[in-house]
Amino acid sequence: MGGAVGTGLFLGSAQVIQSAGPSIILGYAIVGLIAFLIMRQMGEMIVEEPVAGSFSYFSQKYWGRFAGFLSGWNYWVVYILVAMTELTAIAKYIHYWWPHIPAWISTLFFFIVVTCLNLGNVKFYGESEFWLAIIKVVAVISMILFGLFLLLTAGTESTASFTNLWQHGGFFPHGFSGLFYMLAFLMFAFGGIELIGMTAAEAENPEKSIPQAINQVIFRILIFYVASLAIIMSLIPWNQLDLGGLDKSPFVMIFSQLGINWAAHLLNFIILTAALSVYNSGMYANSRMLYGLAVQGNAPKVFAKVSKQGVPMPAVIFSSVLIFGCVLLNYFVPEQALSHLMYMAVAALVLNWAIISFTHLKFKRAIQQEGKTVKFPALFSPLSNYLVLAFIVMILYIMWTQGFKESVILIPVWIMFMFGLFKFLKWNKSL
């Protein structure tokens, strides 16, 4: 959850609330279910073969050399974009306290801190990520309990009431279309939930720990996404929230409008650590995927080198150099940086989820031909695979019709570019 619960929920939900109202709760439940089905599909594969760079490994083994090449590099790009997005969001949280600090200074400072964390021992990274993640986990649960307390003790003059979820225009104040066209935006909030596939090779007992972690995800989605939004949207009517587009977190602004300033400041700090946690996870994922690509022969051999502590130093440094582009983006176009990065990340994520689900279909076919029994079968496969793929087509349609054609067009352009690079490297005998 450290790789998932971040900007998409705490900051990105502002735009969705303005469009969908209380039905955002249903939206998170729908996208969360799709994410869970994908995790079960991936979990079946990684429990059978816990390897480094699992996405590209399975794509290459069951689909072909180019599929592995594309899958690995695309996942690497996903987390470059996610890391840049979270780093950009961090500047907005700092701006809440110190509006005079330029965004690029905040991003540069935290870029240096997180890069240094990832250059250290993996155990040190694990400890730092554990504490960053546990802060937001405890905070979200505490916020839910505090919100419940405010709702149950609310007086007659208070705006806090569960009826806010269906009054003020109803559960779907702008009709179902208000929610439907926001599903692509909601998808960003779950980008990173599949990060568990990157940890399989370094887990002590993957046959036990991976299924446990994946099965707990559905309950965590209900708590962190569904319950938290249900509570905060009960405290103040959705149409009375001063959100200001993508610039303000509804979690912070609700308590600020209620006059509970200490809670607003505390939540802003929690959300800041949440973004750091996702950025930290993203840096980890980037370096491990690049290392996995190098081991498979799909990236320069230099990225397969590790330090005495087992850290893929060249992979960490190269990934961080590209993420540094976020600092430049915040220097030149600070206002547009976040929205552009989020939709570029969704485009890469769409391709990533499609590859995982399609690869799983090929994996199932190979397993059945061998007559093997898997240890952790995916739910309702192959029906769940077709459901996931249909959902992805729907997301592309939403992005196309809602003014983000560039993000959709980028997908085939990216695939063609990677295919050309793949053919060139093969011809050059670099692969």
Side-chain angles (χ1 to χ4, degrees), residues 208-225:
K208 183 181 178 183
S209 59
I210 298 295
Q212 281 181 346
I214 289 176
N215 285 333
Q216 288 170 7
V217 162
I218 195 70
F219 302 107
R220 292 173 183 178
I221 287 170
L222 289 172
I223 293 170
F224 294 114
Y225 293 89

Side-chain angles (χ1 to χ4, degrees), residues 238-299:
W238 71 274
N239 56 353
Q240 293 178 24
L241 272 172
D242 177 23
L243 294 173
L246 277 170
D247 294 320
K248 298 175 183 176
S249 167
F251 288 78
V252 174
M253 295 315 298
I254 278 177
F255 287 101
S256 180
Q257 283 182 237
L258 287 170
I260 312 173
N261 289 324
W262 66 267
H265 286 292
L266 180 60
L267 266 175
N268 195 61
F269 170 74
I270 300 304
I271 292 170
L272 173 62
T273 64
L276 278 170
S277 171
V278 179
Y279 173 32
N280 201 23
S281 297
M283 181 75 84
Y284 176 88
N286 280 331
S287 56
R288 269 53 183 184
M289 177 52 79
L290 198 49
Y291 167 79
L293 283 165
V295 169
Q296 295 160 26
N298 286 332

